[in-house]
Amino acid sequence: MDKTVDPGNDFFEYANGNWVKSNPIPAKETRYGTFTVLRDNNNKKVQTILVDASKTPQPKGSVKQRVGDMYYSAMDTVTIEKRGYAPIRTDLERIGQIKNVDGIINELTYERVNGLGGSLLFVGVGQDSKHPDTYITSVGAGGTALPDRDNYLKNDPRSLKIQAAYKKYIADLFALTGVPAEQGAKNAETIFAIEKEIAKAQKSRVELRDPNANYNKVNIDEFSKQYKNFNFRQILTASKITGQDSMLASQPRVIKRVDSLLTAVPVSDWQTFLKWKMISGNAGSLSSPFVKANFNYSSALSGQQVQTPRNERMANLVDGSLGDLLGQLYVEKYFPQAAKTYMVNLVENLKVTLGERIQGLDWMSPETKQRALKKLAAFSVKIAFPDKWQNYDGLVINRDDYYGNLKRISVWRYNENIGHLGKPVDKTRMGMTPPTVNASYSPNRNEITFPAGILQAPFFDFDADDAMNYGGIGAVIGHEMTHGFDDQGRQFDADGALRDWWKKEDADKFKERADKVVQQFNNFVILDSIHVNGKLTLGENIADLGGLNIAYAAFKKTKEGKSNVKIDGFTPDQRFFMSWAQVWRSSQRPESAQQRIQTDPHSPEQFRTNAPIVNMDAWYNAFDIKPTNKLYKKPEDRIKIW
Ligand SMILES: [Zn+2]
């Protein structure tokens, strides 16, 4: 804490000031705070498991063999160095043979089906937002690589810097595959020009927040007629998807743009583009010069000073690629079952409290309230680990073949994904791996998820008092629940279907309140002049405001919440708000701050801390906040939604 700061002037500084001062950002990080510290702790635990599993031979095909050998192969830098870029050489040669537009499209589907990622066209399978009990094919076009569309379209100093770093990166990687410098520089211009054209057709991040505007179900054959080059029936068949009448086409404007570029841009330029996607998509998995070039580029954007050590990166990679196998070992070794029981209880308390708050809302009609309560009652909850582990049946992992392992994982995942078509929706899966320090809400499943990784101090601690746990993990639970009722989540019903269940006057009143949150955040500024984007961050900000209110109301029902007994000189209410603030203690590099303000739907941590509390009467009472304090808001200006 920094007790020289008046809590009413800057609560974030008051609660975290000295932590921030005494914890400089490590060179390998772009930001540093509670989440990073826990992530590092979890990463160490994961490494312990992986080192142990890779040390001795394990029965072929077992969980330990596959995660252990995946890690071993990823750490086998002698073999990786020796191979250089050999793993993608035949792919580059194949791209070099492309003769025409059909050849380009064939290459795109070949790459998708053969575990080589994808570069321009993305075919996959997911829940149908309007019929969440069924799976549907979706197709989208991509091709851009910079963090945001605007980085291509704007000419402000930061965008120009990013563009220059990207072009240098392109030339650097081509040079590593033997392309002369002059040609590499030319390639960079060619690729950038194509990507810029695609970027022009893309929606902004704020536009992408409208689920109805983004839902575009089409008849596959009818839709194909609108395109000169794309025949989606053929593309799906080549992608091993058959027997479908309809599909979701996301951002058709981009698909259209790519379709016309296929004709407008010479085939030789497309070859350059596809080669670039092949090299850059795999740079992190090739020999060290590629890895280094990749880091140089990303550090120019993020400000990161040194690369994360390989063992940390590879532990993350195993978690990301074989999450359910590693998760089994992680949970067994590091997750206490009692924590799950405690969480089940806590979630139930918060659910009951949110129900009471919905009943008590003064701005919502009884009809809409009933539907909101129905949605709340239908919430499903995943805690710590999935109901059923994915065993990656048939997936072979070899100790001496890092790149081959990555490819096989990718093929396995693709087949698993498209294999869902025609089957009932699998509700046993968890969207995050167990060591993840995060939580989530899925609108289509109407489901909240809390991986094992976040169920530890400072979020959650058996030995801590209720004020700390309700201000920590309690507020996180409330946050995820509120996502079901934020500007996006409220558009999905109790079954997870994108369907309007609101009476118009209630929806209008909701929007009026949400607009005040947009205004509140638009006024926040970082690095002297960069404003928070209130519309981009609206869902998260509503979730924070709702979450903290729900957690506080639930806390007031506990024994400590009803008492006035001080701990370490602080009242229960003070401790509740301090716990909330300390969860968000963190600092970040200016480059990272700039990038996140453009791309991250979460607001910077100091605002996440201060913004909800200034709307809560209880905080004013707890810290005796006066009208002269900087954070003070008049009671009638305090925003209340959930
Ligand atoms: Zn959130």
Side-chain angles (χ1 to χ4, degrees), residues 342 456-465 469:
Y342 185 99
Q456 51 181 319
F459 291 99
F460 166 75
D461 187 347
F462 281 122
D463 299 325
D465 54 315
N469 282 334

Side-chain angles (χ1 to χ4, degrees), residues 209 350 354 440-441 474-489 510 514 517 521 537-551 580 584 601-602 608 612 616 641-642:
R209 289 188 58 75
L350 271 113
L354 175 53
S440 67
Y441 171 75
V476 174
I477 297 169
H479 172 104
E480 301 308 337
M481 286 179 171
T482 308
H483 270 316
F485 302 97
D486 72 15
D487 61 320
Q488 283 185 317
F510 173 87
V517 178
F521 279 81
T537 55
L538 179 59
E540 295 301 332
N541 299 334
I542 291 175
D544 279 342
L545 177 59
L548 195 62
N549 270 291
I550 299 160
W580 163 254
W584 297 114
H602 302 89
R608 293 192 72 168
M616 292 173 70
I641 306 184
W642 295 106

Side-chain angles (χ1 to χ4, degrees), residues 120-140:
L120 206 50
L121 202 61
F122 296 90
V123 172
V125 167
Q127 275 174 284
D128 182 339
S129 298
K130 292 199 174 173
H131 307 277
D133 284 337
T134 55
Y135 286 111
I136 188 165
T137 307
S138 69
V139 171

Side-chain angles (χ1 to χ4, degrees), residues 195-411:
E195 292 188 11
K196 188 173 177 176
E197 281 306 307
I198 297 171
K200 284 180 191 164
Q202 289 172 345
K203 289 187 178 182
S204 73
R205 284 175 193 273
V206 170
E207 289 171 316
L208 285 169
R209 289 188 58 75
D210 180 346
N212 274 302
N214 291 308
Y215 184 88
N216 185 38
K217 196 174 189 168
V218 298
N219 176 284
I220 295 167
D221 297 313
E222 288 300 313
F223 188 67
S224 295
K225 284 181 193 157
Q226 303 168 27
Y227 295 85
K228 185 170 186 315
N229 297 301
F230 286 138
N231 178 327
F232 290 98
R233 181 62 66 194
Q234 283 171 14
I235 287 168
L236 292 182
T237 306
S239 306
K240 305 204 286 184
I241 294 172
T242 53
Q244 304 295 307
D245 295 327
S246 53
M247 65 175 194
L248 298 178
S250 79
Q251 295 207 57
R253 206 167 63 192
V254 183
I255 303 178
K256 196 105 211 166
R257 177 64 54 92
V258 172
D259 182 70
S260 62
L261 286 172
L262 281 173
T263 322
V265 173
V267 171
S268 58
D269 285 356
W270 281 115
Q271 287 175 312
T272 304
F273 176 89
L274 291 172
K275 282 182 184 171
W276 163 244
K277 294 297 172 186
M278 185 60 65
I279 305 168
S280 62
N282 290 290
S285 318
L286 301 173
S287 60
S288 55
F290 290 86
V291 175
K292 194 160 180 288
N294 177 266
F295 172 72
N296 288 343
Y297 165 63
S298 73
S299 66
L301 272 58
S302 68
Q304 189 176 338
Q305 290 169 351
V306 301
Q307 191 163 31
T308 315
R310 186 167 185 98
N311 53 355
E312 284 182 38
R313 277 185 284 132
M314 294 305 130
N316 263 335
L317 179 129
V318 180
D319 181 41
S321 55
L322 298 173
D324 267 29
L325 297 185
L326 175 64
Q328 296 177 40
L329 305 174
Y330 178 86
V331 166
E332 189 182 51
K333 193 170 164 84
Y334 293 110
F335 185 70
Q337 273 302 318
K340 192 160 181 166
T341 317
Y342 185 99
M343 271 298 282
V344 169
N345 252 312
L346 201 55
V347 170
E348 192 49 39
N349 292 351
L350 271 113
K351 216 168 143 179
V352 170
T353 305
L354 175 53
E356 291 161 2
R357 292 181 66 83
I358 290 172
Q359 300 270 22
L361 291 176
D362 59 6
W363 55 270
M364 189 184 265
S365 71
E367 294 93 317
T368 308
K369 275 184 187 175
Q370 279 319 304
R371 292 180 207 136
L373 289 168
K374 190 180 161 208
K375 176 163 183 173
L376 177 66
F379 268 177
S380 69
V381 186
K382 289 227 160 62
I383 295 169
F385 49 89
D387 305 342
K388 207 176 100 200
W389 295 104
Q390 175 73 267
N391 277 313
Y392 306 84
D393 293 325
L395 173 63
V396 175
I397 300 295
N398 293 326
R399 204 170 169 80
D400 59 355
D401 186 12
Y402 175 49
Y403 191 80
N405 288 338
L406 290 174
K407 235 167 107 168
R408 278 187 294 277
I409 290 168
S410 196
V411 170

Side-chain angles (χ1 to χ4, degrees), residues 20 28 74 89 92 98 112 149 395 509 548:
V20 170
K28 74 177 177 79
R89 211 171 277 198
L92 296 177
I98 293 174
R112 194 84 182 112
R149 176 193 79 162
L395 173 63
K509 284 180 191 154
L548 195 62

